[in-house]
């Protein structure tokens, strides 16, 4: 910003009265600000209109660009265009705010200069050619640090939607390809402005590149837009939104003419226990779980665990451990520092919760991986010890919610969606691990799903190892590699440690 003193000297008028080129003398309410509207793309008449509006509101809006200007307002200009124009003015950009017209119109509406947010700033202002140089990222997502914020949300949302479409159509390979492409863009240090920046990046196939190109060129991808509008896509999303319903079942129902929840209810289809619960609590389960709700459930689970096995530890895993603010469920991993202690823990835990009316549904399973697989990654002594429970919690809500309340509450307000209801249904995953496998279970249940997939791919392809949520097996040495922390597992794999908040691939 130009120091106030310097501006005072340049201007002839008093601090509070500026003579503008339009001739009118208006009081200036905000002497620190000198605005300039870029005519390019905005057009002369709109510029004149907006300038006068600003002056009427007490802003100083100069018609000529000078060193006094503190804020340049642009409409529909790319960062590159603004930079070129600025270079021609021979004034260094560092002293200036380069803002979108939205900041100006919001300020007009409020009658004062509103706070400058990221969305107001002109993006991708490249100061020198190095800023448009090609990006470079390592091939595997587990070699990268991927935070929740990302510089290319429009592109990553588009590719994620196409991944979802592929997954819903049973095309898992194609789904993974789109997920990998999206993950590469999530890891970029700034917004993509030109296709040439993508040269040499891993995991970007022709299809993904076409989608990116369309969006950079026209602002949208026709394939993404037509997918969003597609009836089949919408129907598959609704039906697979039912807990317990996968893509195969949804596809069969659609072929039988069942395309929405009401038709399903009316159809007399036989539903299994999880599908019945999923249909009954559909709205709750499809409403994102907040961090506050996750914390409330954590308190309940901790209390339950402490009461059935003193000394046992409960860790929040999944998306919430990665720092997400919402999730589709809440994931917990439970262990005990003494090996062998957790045997029989899950049934007791479920019993404790059920007796207090806190479970709307639960299904406990032994780990199928251990039952179905032979060979590496299967420590024989651990059969039956690694259990998980997929559940739907009845979470008490509202002011002085008490553990008992959910269970006691009955009558009309019991029904899902009923007014005055003081609970909500939340999907909760509980996993119990012996301490010897805890680090592997923690790494395996923290996600993201793609990060996990990439860790296993790295282990297999680059290290000749097999990684699971139970163990790490070195195929060359023919032995298991022990670890008591996630850091040790990354070290075994020859990877730099990536903390949970940077595993959002
Ligand atoms: N997971 C798993 N086996 C399953 C289901 C999940 O190992 N049958 C792992 C996933 O690999 C993931 C973690 O559990 O690392 C959490 O999965 P999930 O709850 O589906 O995803 P989140 O990342 O927690 O996302 P959200 O916030 O939407 O729940
Ligand atoms: Mn989760
Ligand atoms: Mn889960």
């Amino acid at each position: 910003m130009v120091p106030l003193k310097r501006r005072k000297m340049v201007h002839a008028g008093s601090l509070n009265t500026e003579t503008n080129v339009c001739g009118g003398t208006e009081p200036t309410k905000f002497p620190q600000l000198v605005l300039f509207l870029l005519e390019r793309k905005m057009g002369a008449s709109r510029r004149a209109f907006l300038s006068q509006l600003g002056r009427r509101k007490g802003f100083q809006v100069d018609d000529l660009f000078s060193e006094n200007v503190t804020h340049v307002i642009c409409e529909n200009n790319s960062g590159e265009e603004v930079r070129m124009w600025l270079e021609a003015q021979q004034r260094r950009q560092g002293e200036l705010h380069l803002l979108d017209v939205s900041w100006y119109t919001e300020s007009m509406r409020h009658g004062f200069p509103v706070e400058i947010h990221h969305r107001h700033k002109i993006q991708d202002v490249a100061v020198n050619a190095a800023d448009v140089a090609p990006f470079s990222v390592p091939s595997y997502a587990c070699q990268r640090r991927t935070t929740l914020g990302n510089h290319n949300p429009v592109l990553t949302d588009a590719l994620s939607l196409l991944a979802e479409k592929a997954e819903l159509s049973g095309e898992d390979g194609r789904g993974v390809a789109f997920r990998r492409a999206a993950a590469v863009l999530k890891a970029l240090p700034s917004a993509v402005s030109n296709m040439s920046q993508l040269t040499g990046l891993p995991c970007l196939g022709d299809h993904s590149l076409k989608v990116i190109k369309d969006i950079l060129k026209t602002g949208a991808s026709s394939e993404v837009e037509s997918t969003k509008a597609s009836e089949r896509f919408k129907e598959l999303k609704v039906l697979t939104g039912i807990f317990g319903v996968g893509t195969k079942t949804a596809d069969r129902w659609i072929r039988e003419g069942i395309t929405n929840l009401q038709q399903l209810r009316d159809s007399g289809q036989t539903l299994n226990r999880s599908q019945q619960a999923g249909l009954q609590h559909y709205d709750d389960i499809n409403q994102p779980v907040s961090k506050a709700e996750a914390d409330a459930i954590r308190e309940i689970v901790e209390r339950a665990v402490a009461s059935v096995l003193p000394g046992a530890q409960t860790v929040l895993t999944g998306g919430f451990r990665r720092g997400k603010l919402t999730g589709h469920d809440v994931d917990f991993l439970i262990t005990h520092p003494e090996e062998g202690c957790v045997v029989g823990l899950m049934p007791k835990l479920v019993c404790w919760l059920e007796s207090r009316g806190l479970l709307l549904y639960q299904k406990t399973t032994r780990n199928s991986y251990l039952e179905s697989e032979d060979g590496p990654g299967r420590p024989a002594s651990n059969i039956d010890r690694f259990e998980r429970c997929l559940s739907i919690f009845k979470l008490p809500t509202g002011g002085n919610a008490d553990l008992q309340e959910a269970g006691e509450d009955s009558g009309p307000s019991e029904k899902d969606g009923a007014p005055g209801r003081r609970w909500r249904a939340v999907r909760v995953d509980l996993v119990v691990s012996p301490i010897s496998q805890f680090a592997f279970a923690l790494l395996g249940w923290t996600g993201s799903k793609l990060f996990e997939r990439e860790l296993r791919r790295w282990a297999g392809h680059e290290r000749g190892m097999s990684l699971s949520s139970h163990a790490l097996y070195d195929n060359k040495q023919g032995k298991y590699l022990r670890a008591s922390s996630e850091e040790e597992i990354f070290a075994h794999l020859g990877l730099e440690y990536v903390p949970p908040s940077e595993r959002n691939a």
Side-chain angles (χ1 to χ4, degrees), residues 280 283-284 412-421 423:
Q280 192 177 352
D283 290 342
D284 273 8
S413 64
E414 183 73 353
K415 205 176 161 291
D416 219 29
R421 183 169 62 112
W423 57 271

Side-chain angles (χ1 to χ4, degrees), residues 317-320 322 324 327-331 429:
T317 58
F320 286 112
R322 302 196 308 274
K324 280 180 66 181
H328 95 284
D329 68 357
V330 194
D331 307 282
D429 286 341

